[in-house]
Amino acid sequence: MSEVSNNREQSRYEIFVDGERIGFMTYHLDGDTVTTPHTEIDRAYGSRGHGQELVRAALDQIRADGRVVVPLCPFVEFYIDRHRDYQDLVKAS
């Protein structure tokens, strides 16, 4: 079982499996804008959908908080491109 939480002290969303942190997505918060520069999943847990689960949960929280996102991380950008229901979160240039 996995769980995603927001570690505000380290400015990153973290994903845990059976209590072990297996990945994270860093962010920078500036007002209502969340910039996401990096996402990482431990190699031992790769290709199991944990990265997608992490990004989805983070984007859902960003939406719930009424914020927008600047997806600098290629993985987050790809996820948003593939899931059109999150494209409204991307901050207009």
Side-chain angles (χ1 to χ4, degrees):
M1 175 175 268
S2 61
E3 177 184 333
V4 175
S5 64
N6 184 357
N7 182 337
R8 288 178 178 85
E9 290 179 7
Q10 294 190 357
S11 298
R12 64 187 190 185
Y13 287 91
E14 300 174 330
I15 186 165
F16 295 84
V17 171
D18 298 327
E20 178 184 352
R21 190 188 80 218
I22 64 155
F24 58 89
M25 181 184 85
T26 61
Y27 66 84
H28 302 290
L29 182 60
D30 183 17
D32 69 344
T33 301
V34 180
T35 302
T36 60
H38 182 70
T39 303
E40 187 173 313
I41 298 293
D42 186 298
R43 285 181 187 232
Y45 291 88
S47 299
R48 298 184 192 177
H50 294 297
Q52 291 185 50
E53 183 180 356
L54 170 61
V55 170
R56 180 178 56 247
L59 292 175
D60 287 346
Q61 186 60 56
I62 290 167
R63 174 177 279 138
D65 292 342
R67 294 189 166 112
V68 293
V69 67
V70 176
L72 296 183
C73 170
F75 186 82
V76 175
E77 184 176 26
F78 179 76
Y79 184 89
I80 291 171
D81 285 346
R82 298 273 311 220
H83 298 87
R84 299 192 112 9
D85 49 325
Y86 289 103
Q87 290 187 356
D88 64 308
L89 291 178
V90 177
K91 183 173 183 171
S93 302

